[in-house]
Amino acid sequence: MTVTPTRSLTPAAVPGIPAGFRWGVATSAYQIEGAAAEDGRTPSIWDTYCRVPGAVAGGENGDVACDHYHRMPQDVELLAGLGVDTYRFSLSWPRIQPGGRGPANAKGLDFYRRLTDTLLEAGVTPWVTLYHWDLPQELEDAGGWPARETAYRFAEYAQLAYDALGDRVEHWTTLNEPWCSAMLGYAFGQHAPGRTDLPAALDAVHHLLLGHGLAARAVRDAAGSRPLELGITLNLGTADPETDSDADREACRRADGMGTRLYLDPLVHGRYPADVLADLAAQDIELPVQDGDLEVIATPLDVLGVNFYRGALFSGVTEDGSPTGQDGLPVTRAVERDLPRTAMDWEITPGSLTDLLVRLQRDYGLPTVITENGAAFDDGPVTGGAVHDEERVRYLADHIAAVAAAREQGADVRGYFAWSLMDNFEWAYGYDKRFGIVHVDYATQVRTLKDSALWYRDTVRLTRQAAR
Ligand code: IFM
């Protein structure tokens, strides 16, 4: 659907957003914490990958990042000042369980206890993600996510984390974007650990999902009668055909199959999509499913976390019109459109967010929360204590309007978290791409609210007031 672009950037109540809708900001451990070798934390695959020459722009790494580990109280004050009710952050596995095995590290847990307590004192609900890509290096050395054992290690770590924080944290997300962990990390070599092995990546998909299911069961069992909202976060988009041709529609089926249904069908319906399994079989790839795995993976979810950045248009032929590529496989080609783009060169497609949410409701029927949405832009400098990031304000406004439109069409969307609270380490892009609504000066660690942060604060307040 087409979302009419926002004309006015003056904050105003968003119609159709009810009282009780969650408004938040999100971050992840490796992207902001720093303190990479402090208090017993051991290296994750990202610490290792950042040292591979050429892997990360500018040879940058998360050793210091936003120094959040040392500046946590001020950062909580900052986000509480935005008036958000929820803060989504991730736990660093190697900080909590160094090496990925054995007992918990008390100092690591203490940090997250302090963080959650500080949030609660400030009236902000903590929303914990257990895994946002920082696998302990020792587990990668033992085979990483392509190895089944990693799924069991993840469940053990989830149990340690829940045992320590379950008395104060009600909202738990197991994995962030398993597609990225599996495909960018093991197939395309663009994320840690930097492998380029498609069959291993598909093994990783299954073991990530199995790890999710095992962790979900461990957390549910440990929670007992405590209130718990348990979910997983996926990066999802839309796949629209360039034309009505069979080839283009098939390309969309494949893109949607590998990006969305390969995850959501087993999570919600307890089975992998037959067409995707057939496509994989044609490449001699079989998922390493064992008896009982799918029941574990389909452990009931309370909420689906949706990370949305863009939708895409697909063609089933090469630019020369051939239906097969050089690899002999059917072509699934993303077609560039003449649309405004972010600094990541990602097309800006708010209407796709509405389409996605309506489709998720129809096909999977879960309540959703937008656990990430936002954009990198080449912001101007900090001048007079301000950063005028009009493009980001427009991006947020149009996407929040898209959420409201989806709700109007029946999608049960219960929250929206802006990505990100502050500029941070954008993985292989280093620090150059700034997604924050708060600017970070990495030389001084000074934080400055961008116009988008002020706009978000006022929009949240006005929307809440109107809904009362
Ligand atoms: O920065 C990332 C985040 O870690 C996961 N989702 C996408 C964001 C922007 O690329």
Side-chain angles (χ1 to χ4, degrees):
M1 89 160 253
T2 318
V3 165
T4 314
T6 308
R7 300 276 164 237
S8 162
L9 299 181
T10 309
V14 183
I17 301 286
F21 186 85
R22 249 173 219 294
W23 292 103
V25 286
T27 63
S28 89
Y30 191 70
Q31 293 182 273
I32 65 164
E33 282 180 4
E38 274 179 56
D39 292 341
R41 181 188 180 279
T42 52
S44 77
I45 52 176
W46 271 95
D47 296 280
T48 307
Y49 185 65
C50 288
R51 264 84 194 162
V52 175
V56 173
E60 288 166 333
N61 59 56
D63 284 2
V64 178
C66 307
D67 197 29
H68 170 72
Y69 193 73
H70 300 115
R71 293 163 197 266
M72 179 274 287
Q74 298 92 301
D75 287 339
V76 170
E77 199 180 322
L78 182 78
L79 74 93
L82 296 177
V84 294
D85 47 69
T86 306
Y87 176 47
R88 172 184 182 244
F89 59 95
S90 77
L91 309 180
S92 158
W93 187 347
R95 203 182 282 294
I96 288 188
Q97 191 187 35
R101 286 173 201 278
N105 169 29
K107 287 191 172 169
L109 287 176
D110 280 351
F111 171 69
Y112 295 112
R113 283 200 190 96
R114 285 200 307 280
L115 168 57
T116 47
D117 287 350
T118 312
L119 288 165
L120 291 167
E121 277 157 28
V124 177
T125 301
W127 183 296
V128 163
T129 301
L130 282 160
Y131 184 73
H132 198 124
W133 306 352
D134 42 2
L135 184 71
Q137 182 59 42
E138 290 81 351
L139 295 186
E140 176 57 29
D141 296 341
W145 285 109
R148 187 175 175 91
E149 177 64 12
T150 303
Y152 295 94
R153 298 276 63 79
F154 178 61
E156 183 185 84
Y157 151 68
Q159 175 90 54
L160 292 177
Y162 187 84
D163 286 348
L165 300 170
D167 59 346
R168 56 203 92 184
V169 178
E170 189 177 322
H171 305 273
W172 291 81
T173 297
T174 53
L175 304 176
N176 180 71
E177 304 183 353
W179 180 90
C180 294
S181 299
M183 301 308 288
L184 297 180
Y186 292 96
F188 308 148
Q190 294 167 0
H191 274 191
R195 289 170 61 180
T196 48
D197 178 346
L198 183 62
L202 271 303
D203 289 347
V205 168
H206 181 65
H207 295 140
L208 281 152
L209 291 174
L210 180 63
H212 152 81
L214 293 167
R217 287 193 169 183
V219 167
R220 275 212 191 288
D221 287 350
S225 57
R226 272 190 200 143
L228 173 68
E229 188 177 35
L230 184 71
I232 184 170
T233 279
L234 305 178
N235 53 309
L236 299 170
T238 48
D240 293 314
E242 183 181 23
T243 71
D244 207 26
S245 71
D246 287 350
D248 289 1
R249 280 190 281 109
E250 266 289 285
C252 290
R253 178 193 62 73
R254 285 191 295 275
D256 182 63
M258 285 296 284
T260 299
R261 290 180 292 114
L262 184 58
Y263 301 86
L264 275 169
D265 282 16
L267 285 165
V268 178
H269 302 315
R271 54 174 155 66
Y272 282 111
D275 62 311
V276 178
L277 294 184
D279 290 346
L280 292 172
Q283 298 169 68
D284 288 328
I285 296 173
E286 199 183 330
L287 295 177
V289 183
Q290 296 189 9
D291 280 354
D293 286 2
L294 284 159
E295 287 76 34
V296 174
I297 291 171
T299 299
L301 294 168
D302 301 315
V303 64
L304 172 66
V306 176
N307 289 358
F308 178 84
Y309 290 91
R310 56 178 163 164
L313 196 67
F314 284 95
S315 164
V317 293
T318 62
E319 281 178 12
D320 304 335
S322 165
T324 42
Q326 283 175 348
D327 51 9
L329 295 171
V331 170
T332 309
R333 179 172 63 89
V335 180
E336 305 220 338
R337 288 170 283 190
D338 187 17
L339 290 173
R341 286 160 189 266
T342 72
M344 300 291 282
D345 207 24
W346 295 347
E347 293 172 352
I348 301 179
T349 62
S352 305
L353 176 55
T354 306
D355 294 344
L356 170 68
L357 292 167
V358 171
R359 179 268 175 116
L360 292 174
Q361 190 67 49
R362 184 192 67 217
D363 291 351
Y364 299 105
L366 286 168
T368 52
V369 166
I370 308 300
T371 40
E372 286 182 26
N373 175 243
F377 288 107
D378 296 324
D379 301 326
V382 181
T383 40
V387 177
H388 302 303
D389 59 337
E390 190 182 311
E391 289 170 295
R392 187 172 293 100
V393 173
R394 196 175 294 283
Y395 183 99
L396 296 178
D398 287 345
H399 285 79
I400 292 170
V403 169
R407 284 186 51 87
E408 212 174 279
Q409 293 174 45
D412 184 8
V413 195
R414 298 187 179 177
Y416 176 93
F417 304 162
W419 183 269
S420 178
L421 167 63
M422 56 186 150
D423 295 335
N424 58 50
F425 177 71
E426 178 52 26
W427 308 111
Y429 293 88
Y431 291 96
D432 193 39
K433 304 293 180 208
R434 292 176 175 269
F435 276 87
I437 58 174
V438 173
H439 177 273
V440 176
D441 178 331
Y442 294 110
T444 60
Q445 293 295 348
V446 168
R447 277 76 160 133
T448 305
L449 299 189
K450 301 180 191 177
D451 286 355
S452 55
L454 302 173
W455 177 91
Y456 190 53
R457 179 195 66 190
D458 294 345
T459 299
V460 168
R461 179 175 44 81
L462 292 167
T463 305
R464 274 204 206 109
Q465 276 169 7
R468 265 196 215 128

